[in-house]
Amino acid sequence: MKLSKKNKLGAAVATGVALAAVATTAIAQTPQADRADRPAAASEQDQLAALYKAAEAEGGKVTVYMGGDAPGQWDSLAKAFTQQFPDVKLNLVTDLSKYHDARIDNQLATGKLVADAAILQTSQDFDRWKKHGDLLKYKPVGWDKVFTNAKDKDGYYTGVFYGAFSYIVNAKQLPTKASDFKGTDLLKPEYKNKLILTYPNDDDAVLFGYKQIVDEYGWDSLAELAAQNPKLIRGVPGSAAGVASGDYLASIAVGGDARPNGTQVFSNTERFNSWAQRGAIFKQAPHKAGAKLFMSWLNSQAVQKNAIATWTWSTRKDVAPPTGLKPLASYKNTDPKAFAKFMSNRDAVERFRSQVELYFGQVKGTDPGDPTDTLGRTPGAF
């Protein structure tokens, strides 16, 4: 089955595989730092060239903590950056955001900060770090082109892409018009023992999807869902893979590569979670110049167009969405600001999480981002 545009979106949200495209496109557009014909108003690539020089002078190092579900999930991104800036050594460390933020808090508390920058889904951390004075005020290249709902108005953090989690369903189970799919369809007898779900009490972006379900259909819907005897796993990619293999018929509030049997569904009736994945530099970062280079490179138009917008919505106004997708603002059943609002009330989040756990049980299994338990407290240290 041919992979749909919407399924491509879900796959890349979970895996980031499309980011390798920037290695061939954006690199070719990078000018030499010593160009004599530099225009009066420096282009974005000229600005990156200047940042590259500064990063080299600083020592040519940068460590970035990036949220993800699997080791090496963002290796293609690291490879693309290194190919463009070979004299800057990048340590890009992937793990669940909720573990990265704990590491960062501990490093700040002990005065041994390793992470120069962080790109995480735990939006509440960025507001807290800003309030505590832990973030560097920095507006990366192209900041003025970033949607208002994807950045801090004062420039302390900037969204690097819009993520999106929704239903993933076996294509043969969908209505004639996939957009007519309803979440309550999963309560039908044919889905008994055929659902694979990421523990909602393990991942806040997944948890918010269940909050939307409860808000719409009530707690009884979760009881009925649990009665379907779903397979519960840690990590988002595994849920998508279960539908892709044909072993399972659907998953909820996730993204991922569901080929060849499944597709990600953005229904006309069911709400889905979309959010701007935030990135920021720490005021005490050991390698500020390297961090500025990385964040500006990731937010530049070339990278947003040739890498980010090949699989999801860019946070820049001047970059069109992937072919086959409408601008995010035109989807009336999602609000990119809603997840951050949900995340900001930690007491409410934890109360909801505890109640959801009554339906699906305590989380079991190893950390999907660090299955060998080797990252420790200070991964990426030089």
Side-chain angles (χ1 to χ4, degrees):
M1 185 179 76
K2 185 177 180 181
L3 182 64
S4 70
K5 295 296 182 182
K6 292 180 179 178
N7 196 27
K8 288 180 180 178
L9 169 65
V13 167
T15 64
V17 294
L19 287 164
V22 73
T24 57
T25 307
I27 293 172
Q29 297 177 357
T30 305
Q32 296 299 315
D34 56 354
R35 277 181 54 178
D37 58 343
R38 187 187 304 267
S43 69
E44 289 191 357
Q45 294 301 325
D46 284 332
Q47 293 176 63
L48 291 178
L51 289 168
Y52 184 24
K53 274 193 169 184
E56 288 181 285
E58 183 186 59
K61 297 177 181 179
V62 59
T63 296
V64 179
Y65 285 1
M66 197 155 182
D69 294 271
Q73 179 172 326
W74 299 104
D75 281 359
S76 57
L77 177 60
K79 181 180 178 181
F81 177 85
T82 299
Q83 286 181 341
Q84 187 166 351
F85 308 110
D87 294 323
V88 174
K89 179 175 175 56
L90 168 66
N91 276 342
L92 198 159
V93 185
T94 302
D95 198 0
L96 299 183
S97 293
K98 67 178 183 179
Y99 297 144
H100 271 330
D101 66 356
R103 291 186 177 102
I104 292 166
D105 283 339
N106 185 252
Q107 291 170 18
L108 289 169
T110 59
K112 300 176 182 178
L113 185 62
V114 170
D116 297 301
I119 299 172
L120 309 173
Q121 76 175 28
T122 50
S123 56
Q124 79 283 358
D125 288 317
F126 294 87
D127 294 320
R128 176 173 56 85
W129 287 327
K130 174 188 175 182
K131 182 178 179 180
H132 291 172
D134 295 321
L135 299 182
L136 181 71
K137 185 175 182 179
Y138 178 67
K139 298 178 179 179
V141 164
W143 188 87
D144 60 323
K145 301 294 185 181
V146 175
F147 287 103
T148 301
N149 66 22
K151 63 186 177 183
D152 173 54
K153 62 182 179 64
D154 299 315
Y156 285 95
Y157 56 77
T158 305
V160 300
F161 60 78
Y162 287 108
F165 281 176
S166 63
Y167 292 92
I168 290 181
V169 184
N170 184 292
K172 294 180 181 178
Q173 299 296 120
L174 290 172
T176 302
K177 290 177 61 179
S179 59
D180 290 337
F181 170 83
K182 294 182 179 295
T184 51
D185 291 347
L186 303 187
L187 304 180
K188 295 177 180 178
E190 57 263 39
Y191 288 96
K192 181 83 172 185
N193 302 315
K194 286 294 184 178
L195 298 176
I196 183 167
L197 308 179
T198 297
Y199 279 105
N201 40 322
D202 192 35
D203 184 317
D204 284 353
V206 179
L207 184 68
F208 183 57
Y210 283 71
K211 179 65 165 60
Q212 292 176 314
I213 291 173
V214 171
D215 287 347
E216 181 69 23
Y217 298 112
W219 284 103
D220 286 348
S221 65
L222 290 198
E224 294 178 66
L225 186 61
Q228 293 287 63
N229 192 33
K231 171 72 173 178
L232 274 296
I233 64 170
R234 296 194 73 185
V236 169
S239 288
V243 180
S245 68
D247 293 336
Y248 296 91
L249 294 181
S251 191
I252 297 172
V254 295
D257 188 351
R259 293 173 296 175
N261 290 299
T263 186
Q264 189 168 13
V265 180
F266 296 99
S267 170
N268 287 336
T269 60
E270 307 302 285
R271 296 194 62 78
F272 67 92
N273 181 16
S274 63
W275 71 96
Q277 191 89 335
R278 295 178 178 180
I281 300 170
F282 294 98
K283 185 180 292 185
Q284 300 304 318
H287 312 103
K288 292 184 181 64
K292 290 178 180 180
L293 173 64
F294 182 83
M295 291 301 299
S296 280
W297 172 78
L298 189 55
N299 280 278
S300 67
Q301 186 182 42
V303 175
Q304 289 286 313
K305 178 181 178 180
N306 298 307
I308 301 301
T310 63
W311 53 274
T312 190
W313 293 278
S314 168
T315 52
R316 288 183 56 134
K317 303 173 186 176
D318 58 350
V319 175
T323 302
L325 287 176
K326 301 178 293 184
L328 186 58
S330 67
Y331 291 83
K332 302 307 179 185
N333 51 350
T334 191
D335 177 3
K337 297 181 291 185
F339 179 55
K341 182 178 180 180
F342 169 75
M343 294 286 277
S344 68
N345 188 339
R346 299 313 297 170
D347 288 344
V349 170
E350 296 309 322
R351 284 195 299 272
F352 184 72
R353 188 196 316 281
S354 295
Q355 292 180 75
V356 168
E357 191 169 287
L358 297 174
Y359 294 82
F360 298 106
Q362 294 183 354
V363 176
K364 298 177 182 178
T366 59
D367 171 13
D370 183 22
T372 58
D373 193 25
T374 55
L375 289 180
R377 296 191 304 273
T378 58
F382 285 99

